[in-house]
Amino acid sequence: MLKSKNKESKNKKQCYISVPSQIITPSSLQSLLLSPKKAPKSSSFKIFKNPRFYFSLIFLFGFLGMLKMWYNIDPFVPFSPNPCSSASHQESSVLSNGVLGFQPQSAVVANGVLKSELKNGGLEAKMEKSEEKIEFWKQPDGLGYRPCLDFSREYEKESVGIMKDRSKYLVVVVSGGMNQQRNQIVDAVVIARILGAALVVPILQVNVIWGDESEFSDIFDVEHFKSVLANDVRIISSLPSTHVMSRPVEEKHTPLHVSPQWIRARYLRRMRREGVLLLRGLDSRLSKDLPSDLQKLRCKVAFHALKFAPPILDLGNKLTERIQSKGPYLALHLRMEKDVWVRTGCLPGLSQEYDEVISNERKLRPELLTSRSNMTYHDRKLAGLCPLNALDVTRLLKALGAPKNVRIFWAGGTPFGGKEALLPLTKEFPHFYNKNDLALPGELEPFANKASILAAIDYMVSENSDVFMPSHGGNMGHAIQGHRAYAGHKKTIIPNKRQMVPYFLNSSLPEAEFNRIIMDLHRDSLGQPELRTSKAGRDVTKYPIPECMRNDSSRYTSL
C-alpha cells in the first residue's frame, strides 16, 4: 500500500473522493486549518516506553496482513479501478470521463432555478426519514466485482512487435451521434490491434442530422487517448509523409459482426501491399464475442482511454456539483424526440393530432423505420419496443418509490410536443432540470450547434448520478449502464418494458397492487452484476463481467 502511494506521488497523479459539499461545514474546515495545542513533551514520549504499545502495533500489522491474504484485497482501499497488477496503468485511478476523479466545488445558483433549494444546504434530502424514500437511493450489492484488465503474456509479447511496426496504418471515419461514434472508436482500436497497424486519430464525419462539425479533439482528450493505449496500439495524429500519397485500401461495406479471422483474411495482405487501410461505417461491424484480451482492450478504450476534453470535463463537473450539492439525484435519459417516435414505429400518446403527425411522417418515409415493419404500433408496445412517454416514466418512478421531492436531471433532445409532453413528470416531480437549467448564462454558448459535445455533457451528469434510468435503449443508455457497472455497480434502473406494459394498460388495477407488481418486476433490474456470457452477442462495454471485472472476494463465488 505504501509503495503504491509513493509511486503515485512520484507520478504527480491525484485521486479524489467525491464528498457532498453540504457536509463540509465552516466548523469542520476550521478544525482542519487550526493546529491543536501541543501536549507537554513528557506525555508525548511516555507511550513509546510502554511495551504494550509495541505489542499492539505488531498485532495490528499482523491482523491486516492476514486480512490481505484471506480476501486478496487492500483493506485501506474500498474500490480500486484496476486491482490486477498487469493492468495498473498510470491513468487507472480515474475512469475515462473523470467521474471517479470528480470533486465537488462550491455550490452555484444557476439562473435562479436552484436558489431556494440551496438555503438548507441539502440537509432536507439527507434528513428524509421515510423508509420508502431511503430505499429508492439504496445501491445494489456489487458482490465483490472490481475492474480487472489482466492481459495475457502472449498479448504483451505481441505488443512489442506491434509498437515497432511502421508499415501498416489504419484510417477510420466514424459517423452518428457522440455515443455511436464512441462505440466505433472502441472497435477501431481493436481492429488496429488485430491487424497490428498504427491507428490514425479517428476522423469524425459531419453529422448530417445536426450539422455538427466537431473533431475528435473537440470531444476527447487526444493525448490521454494516446498515453493510455501506448502499450496496446500505436496512435498517431496523421499519416507519415511516406504514406500520404499511398492509395488506401477502402472498405465501405464491412458485414455485420465479423471475426478477427475474417478481418485478417480480408485486409492483411492488401494492407501490407498498399500500407494504408481506410474503413467507414464501423457500427456493429466487429463481433461482440472476441478473444479475452481483445474484450479487455475494448474495456480499456471505453472506460479509460476515451476521456472527455477538458472544457467538457470542466462544465460537466460544474453542472454535476450544482445538482449534487443538494443531495442525491436521479438522471433520466428521455428518448421522446420526433425522429425517435418515427424510427421506432411508435406513437407519443399525447393526442390524436400528435399521433397523426408521426404516422404521416412514417408513411412518407418508410425507410426510417428501424425494423419489423409488419408490426402494428400496439404489437410493438406490447413487445417492449417503444420508448416510455412521460406518463409511463412517472408511473414507473412512483411505483419504484421515488420521493416526490426527488431532484431529476433529464438528458436528451427536445421532446416532440415540447413542454406539454413533459407535464406528467413535471407535475409529479417539480424539481426537474436539464443542462440549460443548471448552466449559468453564457456557459453553453461555446457549444451551440455542437450536438456531440452537448451529449457528452449530458453523459457526464448522468453517469455521476445516484440513480440512472433510460426511457428507451440506445447507445447512450447502454454506454452509461456499462460505465456505472465498471465504476462499482451504481444503481441503474432498466425498465422491464415487455413485462410491465400489460399492467400499464390495465386501468382497473388498484394503484397499490400496480405498485407492488412493478416493484417485483424490477427487483433484478437495478444495476446488479450480470454476466455477459448469459447475454449472447452483447457488448462487453455494457456487460463488463466476466472479461473486464473479477471477483476478488472469497465470500462471493458466483452471481
Side-chain angles (χ1 to χ4, degrees):
M1 179 70 183
L2 292 175
K3 290 181 180 179
S4 173
K5 287 185 177 179
N6 291 336
K7 184 176 181 179
E8 289 180 4
S9 63
K10 288 179 181 179
N11 292 332
K12 298 182 180 179
K13 298 295 178 185
Q14 296 179 342
C15 182
Y16 301 99
I17 298 177
S18 186
V19 181
S21 60
Q22 66 268 19
I23 68 172
I24 304 177
T25 61
S27 59
S28 63
L29 286 175
Q30 188 177 20
S31 65
L32 291 172
L33 294 172
L34 298 178
S35 301
K37 293 182 180 179
K38 293 183 180 179
K41 289 184 178 180
S42 58
S43 62
S44 63
F45 285 96
K46 275 184 179 180
I47 189 171
F48 294 108
K49 297 180 180 180
N50 191 335
R52 291 182 179 179
F53 169 77
Y54 295 101
F55 178 79
S56 300
L57 196 64
I58 294 171
F59 176 81
L60 177 62
F61 281 106
F63 179 72
L64 292 177
M66 285 188 292
L67 276 180
K68 190 171 181 67
M69 289 173 60
W70 290 338
Y71 296 108
N72 193 28
I73 59 174
D74 190 334
F76 293 107
V77 183
F79 175 74
S80 171
N82 272 321
C84 304
S85 58
S86 63
S88 57
H89 191 272
Q90 59 180 353
E91 297 292 345
S92 65
S93 61
V94 180
L95 292 187
S96 68
N97 298 307
V99 291
L100 292 188
F102 171 72
Q103 187 179 33
Q105 305 165 18
S106 58
V108 181
V109 178
N111 298 333
V113 176
L114 311 177
K115 191 171 184 179
S116 61
E117 299 178 38
L118 287 171
K119 290 181 179 178
N120 296 324
L123 292 178
E124 178 186 350
K126 294 295 183 182
M127 298 298 292
E128 205 53 80
K129 293 183 179 180
S130 167
E131 290 183 5
E132 180 184 52
K133 294 177 182 179
I134 291 174
E135 183 70 20
F136 182 76
W137 302 114
K138 184 178 179 181
Q139 297 297 312
D141 187 348
L143 302 179
Y145 281 94
R146 300 194 297 178
C148 177
L149 304 181
D150 52 343
F151 294 95
S152 68
R153 290 184 179 180
E154 182 181 357
Y155 179 92
E156 293 174 349
K157 287 180 180 178
E158 290 175 352
S159 298
V160 177
I162 289 173
M163 301 312 294
K164 290 180 179 179
D165 194 308
R166 297 293 188 273
S167 64
K168 302 189 297 293
Y169 296 89
L170 176 63
V171 178
V172 297
V173 179
V174 300
S175 57
M178 189 277 293
N179 289 288
Q180 192 174 2
Q181 292 171 341
R182 182 179 176 274
N183 292 340
Q184 294 173 58
I185 292 167
V186 171
D187 282 357
V189 172
V190 177
I191 292 172
R193 173 75 192 198
I194 291 170
L195 295 170
L199 174 67
V200 179
V201 171
I203 300 167
L204 274 54
Q205 184 174 307
V206 176
N207 194 296
V208 293
I209 298 176
W210 299 288
D212 189 345
E213 298 180 357
S214 298
E215 298 179 359
F216 186 97
S217 59
D218 295 323
I219 303 172
F220 303 106
D221 187 327
V222 177
E223 293 309 313
H224 180 87
F225 183 67
K226 293 179 180 179
S227 174
V228 170
L229 299 173
N231 296 323
D232 305 277
V233 174
R234 194 163 66 91
I235 311 290
I236 58 176
S237 297
S238 59
L239 282 172
S241 58
T242 53
H243 287 69
V244 169
M245 301 303 292
S246 300
R247 184 183 64 182
V249 177
E250 184 172 1
E251 180 63 71
K252 298 180 181 179
H253 305 291
T254 304
L256 294 172
H257 309 303
V258 298
S259 66
Q261 293 78 13
W262 188 96
I263 289 173
R264 292 190 189 98
R266 173 80 174 184
Y267 302 128
L268 202 52
R269 181 178 298 177
R270 289 188 294 165
M271 196 179 191
R272 284 171 177 161
R273 183 178 67 247
E274 303 295 342
V276 181
L277 170 65
L278 172 61
L279 294 180
R280 300 176 185 271
L282 289 180
D283 197 19
S284 297
R285 302 303 167 182
L286 183 61
S287 171
K288 303 301 180 186
D289 298 307
L290 298 174
S292 178
D293 285 325
L294 296 180
Q295 295 288 59
K296 290 179 173 63
L297 180 57
R298 259 186 172 145
C299 291
K300 189 172 183 178
V301 180
F303 302 134
H304 294 271
L306 284 176
K307 178 181 178 181
F308 288 133
I312 297 174
L313 285 179
D314 181 56
L315 184 54
N317 281 339
K318 285 178 180 177
L319 300 189
T320 295
E321 195 280 332
R322 288 170 194 169
I323 191 169
Q324 191 180 59
S325 63
K326 298 163 297 303
Y329 71 98
L330 162 71
L332 287 178
H333 185 218
L334 298 178
R335 301 305 313 278
M336 297 167 56
E337 302 94 326
K338 182 179 178 180
D339 69 294
V340 174
W341 296 117
V342 173
R343 286 188 293 104
T344 57
C346 301
L347 298 175
L350 294 173
S351 68
Q352 184 176 352
E353 180 185 355
Y354 282 116
D355 288 351
E356 285 180 358
V357 171
I358 297 300
S359 297
N360 291 334
E361 184 81 15
R362 195 177 300 123
K363 289 176 183 177
L364 292 173
R365 302 186 65 186
E367 73 278 4
L368 294 178
L369 191 62
T370 51
S371 63
R372 306 185 190 184
S373 57
N374 60 327
M375 293 179 69
T376 66
Y377 157 62
H378 185 70
D379 290 338
R380 285 174 178 275
K381 192 171 181 66
L382 287 176
L385 299 175
C386 290
L388 301 179
N389 60 26
L391 179 59
D392 297 332
V393 172
T394 303
R395 296 185 69 190
L396 176 57
L397 289 176
K398 287 178 66 178
L400 294 177
K404 190 174 180 64
N405 67 346
V406 62
R407 290 164 181 84
I408 297 177
F409 173 83
W410 70 276
T414 303
F416 179 60
K419 291 183 179 179
E420 181 184 343
L422 298 172
L423 281 178
L425 266 167
T426 55
K427 283 183 178 179
E428 187 66 34
F429 304 108
H431 305 297
F432 195 73
Y433 319 106
N434 65 6
K435 54 184 170 292
N436 297 299
D437 300 318
L438 297 174
L440 295 174
E443 281 186 321
L444 290 173
E445 284 182 11
F447 311 124
N449 302 318
K450 300 285 185 180
S452 292
I453 293 178
L454 294 174
I457 293 170
D458 274 346
Y459 188 107
M460 280 199 65
V461 185
S462 298
E463 208 291 324
N464 275 307
S465 65
D466 298 271
V467 179
F468 171 73
M469 187 180 89
S471 67
H472 193 48
N475 292 309
M476 180 167 168
H478 294 167
I480 292 180
Q481 178 183 339
H483 208 139
R484 290 172 70 83
Y486 195 77
H489 289 97
K490 295 190 289 182
K491 186 170 182 178
T492 303
I493 302 170
I494 306 300
N496 193 337
K497 291 186 289 184
R498 179 174 296 182
Q499 293 190 41
M500 75 184 187
V501 164
Y503 300 104
F504 275 67
L505 300 176
N506 186 354
S507 58
S508 64
L509 196 63
E511 184 178 2
E513 179 66 7
F514 172 82
N515 291 348
R516 184 194 64 78
I517 292 171
I518 296 302
M519 182 70 81
D520 286 343
L521 286 177
H522 289 85
R523 292 194 187 280
D524 297 324
S525 304
L526 302 177
Q528 301 95 329
E530 291 186 80
L531 284 172
R532 192 193 73 87
T533 47
S534 66
K535 308 282 185 179
R538 301 296 180 90
D539 198 327
V540 70
T541 59
K542 182 182 179 183
Y543 298 100
I545 299 174
E547 289 94 341
C548 302
M549 299 185 78
R550 187 173 69 189
N551 187 325
D552 283 332
S553 174
S554 59
R555 292 172 294 175
Y556 307 109
T557 56
S558 67
L559 291 175

PDB file of all heavy atoms in Angstrom, residues 163-185:
ATOM      1  N   MET A 163       4.193  -2.291 -31.696  1.00  0.00           N
ATOM      2  CA  MET A 163       4.612  -0.906 -31.471  1.00  0.00           C
ATOM      3  C   MET A 163       5.800  -0.510 -32.350  1.00  0.00           C
ATOM      4  O   MET A 163       6.009   0.669 -32.631  1.00  0.00           O
ATOM      5  CB  MET A 163       4.963  -0.697 -29.994  1.00  0.00           C
ATOM      6  CG  MET A 163       3.808  -0.994 -29.027  1.00  0.00           C
ATOM      7  SD  MET A 163       2.241  -0.221 -29.491  1.00  0.00           S
ATOM      8  CE  MET A 163       2.660   1.500 -29.282  1.00  0.00           C
ATOM      9  N   LYS A 164       6.574  -1.495 -32.807  1.00  0.00           N
ATOM     10  CA  LYS A 164       7.735  -1.210 -33.663  1.00  0.00           C
ATOM     11  C   LYS A 164       7.365  -1.116 -35.142  1.00  0.00           C
ATOM     12  O   LYS A 164       8.101  -0.516 -35.930  1.00  0.00           O
ATOM     13  CB  LYS A 164       8.804  -2.294 -33.476  1.00  0.00           C
ATOM     14  CG  LYS A 164       9.489  -2.254 -32.108  1.00  0.00           C
ATOM     15  CD  LYS A 164      10.528  -3.368 -32.022  1.00  0.00           C
ATOM     16  CE  LYS A 164      11.247  -3.351 -30.667  1.00  0.00           C
ATOM     17  NZ  LYS A 164      12.256  -4.445 -30.569  1.00  0.00           N
ATOM     18  N   ASP A 165       6.242  -1.709 -35.524  1.00  0.00           N
ATOM     19  CA  ASP A 165       5.848  -1.768 -36.936  1.00  0.00           C
ATOM     20  C   ASP A 165       5.568  -0.370 -37.492  1.00  0.00           C
ATOM     21  O   ASP A 165       4.824   0.407 -36.907  1.00  0.00           O
ATOM     22  CB  ASP A 165       4.594  -2.638 -37.083  1.00  0.00           C
ATOM     23  CG  ASP A 165       4.330  -3.028 -38.535  1.00  0.00           C
ATOM     24  OD1 ASP A 165       4.305  -2.116 -39.383  1.00  0.00           O
ATOM     25  OD2 ASP A 165       4.145  -4.222 -38.808  1.00  0.00           O
ATOM     26  N   ARG A 166       6.163  -0.054 -38.623  1.00  0.00           N
ATOM     27  CA  ARG A 166       5.949   1.244 -39.281  1.00  0.00           C
ATOM     28  C   ARG A 166       5.463   1.052 -40.719  1.00  0.00           C
ATOM     29  O   ARG A 166       5.590   1.947 -41.543  1.00  0.00           O
ATOM     30  CB  ARG A 166       7.261   2.056 -39.307  1.00  0.00           C
ATOM     31  CG  ARG A 166       7.805   2.433 -37.926  1.00  0.00           C
ATOM     32  CD  ARG A 166       6.869   3.417 -37.225  1.00  0.00           C
ATOM     33  NE  ARG A 166       7.443   3.934 -35.994  1.00  0.00           N
ATOM     34  CZ  ARG A 166       7.332   3.351 -34.799  1.00  0.00           C
ATOM     35  NH1 ARG A 166       6.663   2.206 -34.691  1.00  0.00           N
ATOM     36  NH2 ARG A 166       7.853   3.913 -33.722  1.00  0.00           N
ATOM     37  N   SER A 167       4.884  -0.106 -41.009  1.00  0.00           N
ATOM     38  CA  SER A 167       4.493  -0.396 -42.398  1.00  0.00           C
ATOM     39  C   SER A 167       2.993  -0.357 -42.638  1.00  0.00           C
ATOM     40  O   SER A 167       2.548  -0.241 -43.779  1.00  0.00           O
ATOM     41  CB  SER A 167       5.026  -1.778 -42.801  1.00  0.00           C
ATOM     42  OG  SER A 167       4.427  -2.790 -42.002  1.00  0.00           O
ATOM     43  N   LYS A 168       2.165  -0.459 -41.583  1.00  0.00           N
ATOM     44  CA  LYS A 168       0.714  -0.564 -41.755  1.00  0.00           C
ATOM     45  C   LYS A 168       0.007   0.531 -40.955  1.00  0.00           C
ATOM     46  O   LYS A 168       0.310   0.754 -39.778  1.00  0.00           O
ATOM     47  CB  LYS A 168       0.213  -1.946 -41.299  1.00  0.00           C
ATOM     48  CG  LYS A 168       0.859  -3.113 -42.027  1.00  0.00           C
ATOM     49  CD  LYS A 168       0.187  -4.435 -41.691  1.00  0.00           C
ATOM     50  CE  LYS A 168       0.295  -4.825 -40.235  1.00  0.00           C
ATOM     51  NZ  LYS A 168       1.676  -5.128 -39.817  1.00  0.00           N
ATOM     52  N   TYR A 169      -0.972   1.170 -41.629  1.00  0.00           N
ATOM     53  CA  TYR A 169      -1.705   2.272 -40.987  1.00  0.00           C
ATOM     54  C   TYR A 169      -3.205   2.126 -41.248  1.00  0.00           C
ATOM     55  O   TYR A 169      -3.619   1.815 -42.367  1.00  0.00           O
ATOM     56  CB  TYR A 169      -1.214   3.622 -41.516  1.00  0.00           C
ATOM     57  CG  TYR A 169       0.235   3.890 -41.162  1.00  0.00           C
ATOM     58  CD1 TYR A 169       1.256   3.456 -42.012  1.00  0.00           C
ATOM     59  CD2 TYR A 169       0.577   4.541 -39.986  1.00  0.00           C
ATOM     60  CE1 TYR A 169       2.597   3.668 -41.689  1.00  0.00           C
ATOM     61  CE2 TYR A 169       1.911   4.763 -39.658  1.00  0.00           C
ATOM     62  CZ  TYR A 169       2.906   4.328 -40.510  1.00  0.00           C
ATOM     63  OH  TYR A 169       4.226   4.543 -40.182  1.00  0.00           O
ATOM     64  N   LEU A 170      -3.979   2.345 -40.205  1.00  0.00           N
ATOM     65  CA  LEU A 170      -5.437   2.258 -40.305  1.00  0.00           C
ATOM     66  C   LEU A 170      -6.051   3.647 -40.133  1.00  0.00           C
ATOM     67  O   LEU A 170      -5.772   4.347 -39.152  1.00  0.00           O
ATOM     68  CB  LEU A 170      -5.999   1.317 -39.230  1.00  0.00           C
ATOM     69  CG  LEU A 170      -7.531   1.213 -39.150  1.00  0.00           C
ATOM     70  CD1 LEU A 170      -8.095   0.634 -40.446  1.00  0.00           C
ATOM     71  CD2 LEU A 170      -7.949   0.363 -37.953  1.00  0.00           C
ATOM     72  N   VAL A 171      -6.886   4.033 -41.114  1.00  0.00           N
ATOM     73  CA  VAL A 171      -7.629   5.296 -41.050  1.00  0.00           C
ATOM     74  C   VAL A 171      -9.109   4.943 -40.968  1.00  0.00           C
ATOM     75  O   VAL A 171      -9.601   4.144 -41.773  1.00  0.00           O
ATOM     76  CB  VAL A 171      -7.361   6.170 -42.293  1.00  0.00           C
ATOM     77  CG1 VAL A 171      -8.181   7.461 -42.229  1.00  0.00           C
ATOM     78  CG2 VAL A 171      -5.874   6.479 -42.420  1.00  0.00           C
ATOM     79  N   VAL A 172      -9.822   5.506 -39.995  1.00  0.00           N
ATOM     80  CA  VAL A 172     -11.251   5.203 -39.862  1.00  0.00           C
ATOM     81  C   VAL A 172     -12.056   6.498 -39.856  1.00  0.00           C
ATOM     82  O   VAL A 172     -11.608   7.528 -39.341  1.00  0.00           O
ATOM     83  CB  VAL A 172     -11.555   4.397 -38.574  1.00  0.00           C
ATOM     84  CG1 VAL A 172     -10.878   3.047 -38.606  1.00  0.00           C
ATOM     85  CG2 VAL A 172     -11.136   5.180 -37.338  1.00  0.00           C
ATOM     86  N   VAL A 173     -13.241   6.434 -40.444  1.00  0.00           N
ATOM     87  CA  VAL A 173     -14.189   7.551 -40.431  1.00  0.00           C
ATOM     88  C   VAL A 173     -15.422   7.072 -39.679  1.00  0.00           C
ATOM     89  O   VAL A 173     -16.068   6.103 -40.100  1.00  0.00           O
ATOM     90  CB  VAL A 173     -14.571   7.989 -41.863  1.00  0.00           C
ATOM     91  CG1 VAL A 173     -15.578   9.140 -41.814  1.00  0.00           C
ATOM     92  CG2 VAL A 173     -13.327   8.395 -42.644  1.00  0.00           C
ATOM     93  N   VAL A 174     -15.722   7.707 -38.555  1.00  0.00           N
ATOM     94  CA  VAL A 174     -16.856   7.278 -37.732  1.00  0.00           C
ATOM     95  C   VAL A 174     -18.005   8.258 -37.895  1.00  0.00           C
ATOM     96  O   VAL A 174     -17.810   9.449 -38.128  1.00  0.00           O
ATOM     97  CB  VAL A 174     -16.456   7.145 -36.246  1.00  0.00           C
ATOM     98  CG1 VAL A 174     -15.357   6.119 -36.093  1.00  0.00           C
ATOM     99  CG2 VAL A 174     -16.009   8.481 -35.665  1.00  0.00           C
ATOM    100  N   SER A 175     -19.226   7.752 -37.747  1.00  0.00           N
ATOM    101  CA  SER A 175     -20.408   8.567 -38.012  1.00  0.00           C
ATOM    102  C   SER A 175     -21.411   8.433 -36.865  1.00  0.00           C
ATOM    103  O   SER A 175     -21.236   7.643 -35.941  1.00  0.00           O
ATOM    104  CB  SER A 175     -21.063   8.125 -39.322  1.00  0.00           C
ATOM    105  OG  SER A 175     -21.397   6.737 -39.252  1.00  0.00           O
ATOM    106  N   GLY A 176     -22.507   9.222 -36.976  1.00  0.00           N
ATOM    107  CA  GLY A 176     -23.573   9.151 -35.991  1.00  0.00           C
ATOM    108  C   GLY A 176     -23.410  10.158 -34.871  1.00  0.00           C
ATOM    109  O   GLY A 176     -22.587  11.076 -34.943  1.00  0.00           O
ATOM    110  N   GLY A 177     -24.182   9.967 -33.807  1.00  0.00           N
ATOM    111  CA  GLY A 177     -24.089  10.815 -32.635  1.00  0.00           C
ATOM    112  C   GLY A 177     -22.888  10.463 -31.787  1.00  0.00           C
ATOM    113  O   GLY A 177     -22.152   9.514 -32.086  1.00  0.00           O
ATOM    114  N   MET A 178     -22.679  11.205 -30.701  1.00  0.00           N
ATOM    115  CA  MET A 178     -21.477  11.032 -29.883  1.00  0.00           C
ATOM    116  C   MET A 178     -21.311   9.605 -29.365  1.00  0.00           C
ATOM    117  O   MET A 178     -20.224   9.027 -29.445  1.00  0.00           O
ATOM    118  CB  MET A 178     -21.509  12.018 -28.702  1.00  0.00           C
ATOM    119  CG  MET A 178     -20.219  12.085 -27.899  1.00  0.00           C
ATOM    120  SD  MET A 178     -19.998  10.798 -26.622  1.00  0.00           S
ATOM    121  CE  MET A 178     -21.290  11.229 -25.456  1.00  0.00           C
ATOM    122  N   ASN A 179     -22.359   9.009 -28.860  1.00  0.00           N
ATOM    123  CA  ASN A 179     -22.236   7.669 -28.298  1.00  0.00           C
ATOM    124  C   ASN A 179     -22.052   6.610 -29.382  1.00  0.00           C
ATOM    125  O   ASN A 179     -21.356   5.610 -29.165  1.00  0.00           O
ATOM    126  CB  ASN A 179     -23.476   7.359 -27.448  1.00  0.00           C
ATOM    127  CG  ASN A 179     -23.492   8.173 -26.163  1.00  0.00           C
ATOM    128  OD1 ASN A 179     -22.719   7.925 -25.247  1.00  0.00           O
ATOM    129  ND2 ASN A 179     -24.364   9.170 -26.113  1.00  0.00           N
ATOM    130  N   GLN A 180     -22.635   6.838 -30.542  1.00  0.00           N
ATOM    131  CA  GLN A 180     -22.413   5.929 -31.665  1.00  0.00           C
ATOM    132  C   GLN A 180     -20.967   6.049 -32.149  1.00  0.00           C
ATOM    133  O   GLN A 180     -20.315   5.042 -32.462  1.00  0.00           O
ATOM    134  CB  GLN A 180     -23.388   6.267 -32.789  1.00  0.00           C
ATOM    135  CG  GLN A 180     -23.460   5.220 -33.895  1.00  0.00           C
ATOM    136  CD  GLN A 180     -24.539   5.532 -34.912  1.00  0.00           C
ATOM    137  OE1 GLN A 180     -25.219   6.557 -34.821  1.00  0.00           O
ATOM    138  NE2 GLN A 180     -24.703   4.668 -35.895  1.00  0.00           N
ATOM    139  N   GLN A 181     -20.447   7.270 -32.211  1.00  0.00           N
ATOM    140  CA  GLN A 181     -19.052   7.485 -32.578  1.00  0.00           C
ATOM    141  C   GLN A 181     -18.125   6.806 -31.567  1.00  0.00           C
ATOM    142  O   GLN A 181     -17.135   6.174 -31.940  1.00  0.00           O
ATOM    143  CB  GLN A 181     -18.757   8.977 -32.636  1.00  0.00           C
ATOM    144  CG  GLN A 181     -19.440   9.715 -33.764  1.00  0.00           C
ATOM    145  CD  GLN A 181     -19.297  11.222 -33.652  1.00  0.00           C
ATOM    146  OE1 GLN A 181     -18.992  11.756 -32.583  1.00  0.00           O
ATOM    147  NE2 GLN A 181     -19.516  11.929 -34.752  1.00  0.00           N
ATOM    148  N   ARG A 182     -18.468   6.932 -30.321  1.00  0.00           N
ATOM    149  CA  ARG A 182     -17.664   6.334 -29.249  1.00  0.00           C
ATOM    150  C   ARG A 182     -17.541   4.823 -29.428  1.00  0.00           C
ATOM    151  O   ARG A 182     -16.451   4.255 -29.308  1.00  0.00           O
ATOM    152  CB  ARG A 182     -18.326   6.677 -27.908  1.00  0.00           C
ATOM    153  CG  ARG A 182     -17.616   6.185 -26.660  1.00  0.00           C
ATOM    154  CD  ARG A 182     -18.406   6.648 -25.436  1.00  0.00           C
ATOM    155  NE  ARG A 182     -17.845   6.134 -24.200  1.00  0.00           N
ATOM    156  CZ  ARG A 182     -18.146   4.948 -23.685  1.00  0.00           C
ATOM    157  NH1 ARG A 182     -19.001   4.161 -24.318  1.00  0.00           N
ATOM    158  NH2 ARG A 182     -17.591   4.544 -22.551  1.00  0.00           N
ATOM    159  N   ASN A 183     -18.652   4.164 -29.732  1.00  0.00           N
ATOM    160  CA  ASN A 183     -18.632   2.715 -29.961  1.00  0.00           C
ATOM    161  C   ASN A 183     -17.731   2.353 -31.137  1.00  0.00           C
ATOM    162  O   ASN A 183     -16.973   1.362 -31.082  1.00  0.00           O
ATOM    163  CB  ASN A 183     -20.044   2.201 -30.228  1.00  0.00           C
ATOM    164  CG  ASN A 183     -20.945   2.291 -29.010  1.00  0.00           C
ATOM    165  OD1 ASN A 183     -20.462   2.393 -27.884  1.00  0.00           O
ATOM    166  ND2 ASN A 183     -22.240   2.278 -29.239  1.00  0.00           N
ATOM    167  N   GLN A 184     -17.794   3.147 -32.202  1.00  0.00           N
ATOM    168  CA  GLN A 184     -16.982   2.859 -33.382  1.00  0.00           C
ATOM    169  C   GLN A 184     -15.492   3.100 -33.124  1.00  0.00           C
ATOM    170  O   GLN A 184     -14.646   2.394 -33.677  1.00  0.00           O
ATOM    171  CB  GLN A 184     -17.468   3.729 -34.550  1.00  0.00           C
ATOM    172  CG  GLN A 184     -18.873   3.376 -35.021  1.00  0.00           C
ATOM    173  CD  GLN A 184     -19.404   4.343 -36.052  1.00  0.00           C
ATOM    174  OE1 GLN A 184     -18.821   4.537 -37.114  1.00  0.00           O
ATOM    175  NE2 GLN A 184     -20.528   4.970 -35.758  1.00  0.00           N
ATOM    176  N   ILE A 185     -15.185   4.082 -32.294  1.00  0.00           N
ATOM    177  CA  ILE A 185     -13.781   4.338 -31.949  1.00  0.00           C
ATOM    178  C   ILE A 185     -13.209   3.164 -31.153  1.00  0.00           C
ATOM    179  O   ILE A 185     -12.074   2.742 -31.372  1.00  0.00           O
ATOM    180  CB  ILE A 185     -13.654   5.654 -31.152  1.00  0.00           C
ATOM    181  CG1 ILE A 185     -13.997   6.844 -32.049  1.00  0.00           C
ATOM    182  CG2 ILE A 185     -12.249   5.813 -30.577  1.00  0.00           C
ATOM    183  CD1 ILE A 185     -14.202   8.144 -31.293  1.00  0.00           C
TER     184      ILE A 185
END
